[in-house]
Amino acid sequence: MDRILPLAGAVSGRRWSGIVLAIITVGGAVGFRSLLEGLGQFYYLPMIPAVMITAILAGRTATALAVILSIAVNLTLVPRESHVDALTNALLFAGVSWILAEVCWALRALQRRTLDLSRQLAAKDAMLNTALASVPVVTLSARGEVHHLNPACAALFDMNEADAVGRPFAELAPGFEIAALVATGSAGGELTSKDGHWTGLRADGASFPLSIQYGVANDAAGETHVALCLTDLSRWHAADAQARELHAQLNKVWRLNSLGEMAATLAHELNQPLSAAATYLHASQVDMEKAGVLGDSALRTVELAKGQLLRAGKIIRRMRELLSLEVRRLDSERASSMVEDLGPILAMIGAAKGVAIRMDVAAENDRVLAERIQFQQAMVNLTRNAVEALGDHTAPEVVIVGRPVSESQYRISVEDNGPGVADELVDRIFQPLTTTKSGGMGLGLSVTRTIVESHGGRLQVSRSALGGAAFSFTLNRELGVETV
């Protein structure tokens, strides 16, 4: 109601202003007609401008009033021979004046549309100029010479426009051939090179990777012009190199962790038969001692064998200590940052199997205590397992979720919409040498569990909300630190 009242008041105000305008214009037309009486009888003609002015400045109601007032004034001031003559002239005036009013309204609507289009074109032109100002663009002649380049392009090549105009663009991007580009007959697209990217040369001789988008157009004279949109790929290449370096580090850590887990498993499995063998040799020594002097030689040999067995056990334990996951200092890290850094690697893992990997890690209050590389290795392993578990599932999906669950804990989970983990495997899936993959070694989840436990957490498996498996663990939050 509070909104309707002001609106109704505005409509009422416009209506009354239109009525006043109609009265004023008709009054003015009557005065003008009075001035022309010495020249002859003009009847309705001076009233036409009054109707048109009202139509241009007001609405239909005011225009109708102007027509009615004009007819009333003429019937009052001009004597007619008959009522038929008066009615005929009044109807004729009403028809002609209303047609003229419709023309005025059409012109006014056309003017409004023209103004709207002008504003839209001005806005689009401003947007285009802004885009062109921020994106390096160069235009070439049909001979491949630089015709114009914008400031962004001049900054890209570290030169001013005057030095670049007239130079072959091939000097700035070696290997570029405009003849081959025009011969394709394409109006535009991405221009590829043999190496996958072009090389740009700056004024000081420095080179940088470059991508080129092109457009070909002909002017009214039939001359061909080529516009190139350039992109510096240096940052992209640096990010790709960083992702590859991180991937190499994770692979190295994975190999060491796997060897450590295998050493621990072998030490555990071999400890019992080695101990048993040592016990049997000791029993043999007791029996040989009963033989007296005849058994001395055999006793020495058995003692040597027993010593070698004990030495083998020490070697295995030492290898386990060297290769097992050492206790590392946990630093303050942001969980969202550690997961986001894995974006390129996880994208490759998902693309290889056609699986969509989505990240939903809350960046608020995500400061945790973790060893960055070890944590990322655990995340890569859990994500790879989830992707491989999906198999030929339709619309496969993996979601990485991170949320603070208490003042001291932050939970990370990797969920999928696959078949999940069989009930009979839940209790032993984290044990070494347990695997559901053909050719798998059964160390992945075991290593991941060890990493999680070294962070003070516990790796768990449950049913995901997506319908598959959900592997989750918690990290200790850095108390007293809030991040937004």
Side-chain angles (χ1 to χ4, degrees), residues 22-35:
I23 295 174
I24 294 174
T25 55
V26 171
V30 172
F32 181 66
R33 180 174 170 233
S34 300
L35 295 176

Side-chain angles (χ1 to χ4, degrees), residues 379-394:
M379 293 302 301
V380 168
N381 188 54
L382 290 176
T383 306
R384 182 182 288 111
N385 283 351
V387 169
E388 293 177 351
L390 291 171
D392 298 329
H393 191 280
T394 57

Side-chain angles (χ1 to χ4, degrees), residues 246-256 377 380 384:
L246 176 59
H247 192 251
Q249 290 179 0
L250 293 178
N251 284 338
K252 181 179 179 180
V253 170
W254 171 249
R255 288 194 297 270
L256 291 175
Q377 178 57 63
V380 168
R384 182 182 288 111

Side-chain angles (χ1 to χ4, degrees), residues 192-216:
T192 57
S193 68
K194 296 179 180 179
D195 298 331
H197 67 269
W198 299 89
T199 299
L201 294 179
R202 294 191 170 93
D204 59 359
S207 62
F208 60 96
L210 187 70
S211 72
I212 301 177
Q213 299 280 340
Y214 73 94
V216 180

Side-chain angles (χ1 to χ4, degrees), residues 163-239:
D163 294 335
V165 171
R167 292 179 58 181
F169 185 70
E171 295 182 2
L172 304 180
F176 177 83
E177 296 181 2
I178 193 168
L181 186 151
V182 176
T184 61
S186 174
E190 182 176 3
L191 190 62
T192 57
S193 68
K194 296 179 180 179
D195 298 331
H197 67 269
W198 299 89
T199 299
L201 294 179
R202 294 191 170 93
D204 59 359
S207 62
F208 60 96
L210 187 70
S211 72
I212 301 177
Q213 299 280 340
Y214 73 94
V216 180
N218 296 321
D219 58 16
E223 185 176 355
T224 300
H225 295 274
V226 178
L228 304 180
C229 179
L230 311 177
T231 304
D232 186 354
L233 299 178
S234 299
R235 291 184 178 180
W236 184 85
H237 280 203

Side-chain angles (χ1 to χ4, degrees), residues 98-311:
W98 198 260
I99 292 173
L100 292 175
E102 291 286 351
V103 172
C104 292
W105 291 326
L107 291 175
R108 190 170 65 179
L110 180 61
Q111 184 183 23
R112 284 197 299 267
R113 287 197 296 270
T114 302
L115 290 175
D116 290 341
L117 288 175
S118 298
R119 294 191 192 98
Q120 293 176 13
L121 289 175
K124 291 181 179 179
D125 186 61
M127 291 176 61
L128 181 61
N129 288 334
T130 302
L132 291 178
S134 58
V135 176
V137 176
V138 58
T139 57
L140 310 179
S141 66
R143 295 184 298 275
E145 298 173 347
V146 176
H147 178 69
H148 171 75
L149 71 165
N150 66 352
C153 186
L156 179 65
F157 289 99
D158 194 20
M159 63 177 59
N160 56 50
E161 183 176 359
D163 294 335
V165 171
R167 292 179 58 181
F169 185 70
E171 295 182 2
L172 304 180
F176 177 83
E177 296 181 2
I178 193 168
L181 186 151
V182 176
T184 61
S186 174
E190 182 176 3
L191 190 62
T192 57
S193 68
K194 296 179 180 179
D195 298 331
H197 67 269
W198 299 89
T199 299
L201 294 179
R202 294 191 170 93
D204 59 359
S207 62
F208 60 96
L210 187 70
S211 72
I212 301 177
Q213 299 280 340
Y214 73 94
V216 180
N218 296 321
D219 58 16
E223 185 176 355
T224 300
H225 295 274
V226 178
L228 304 180
C229 179
L230 311 177
T231 304
D232 186 354
L233 299 178
S234 299
R235 291 184 178 180
W236 184 85
H237 280 203
D240 183 64
Q242 184 179 6
R244 293 180 183 277
E245 181 180 358
L246 176 59
H247 192 251
Q249 290 179 0
L250 293 178
N251 284 338
K252 181 179 179 180
V253 170
W254 171 249
R255 288 194 297 270
L256 291 175
N257 288 340
S258 298
L259 287 173
E261 194 69 24
M262 184 178 295
T265 302
L266 289 176
H268 175 75
E269 296 297 330
L270 294 177
N271 184 58
Q272 289 182 348
L274 288 176
S275 299
T279 300
Y280 290 142
L281 288 176
H282 181 73
S284 298
Q285 283 180 310
V286 173
D287 292 338
M288 291 177 185
E289 288 176 353
K290 296 177 181 179
V293 180
L294 296 176
D296 288 345
S297 177
L299 279 172
R300 287 193 296 271
T301 304
V302 170
E303 182 64 28
L304 292 174
K306 181 181 175 182
Q308 292 301 313
L309 283 176
L310 295 176
R311 182 172 177 269

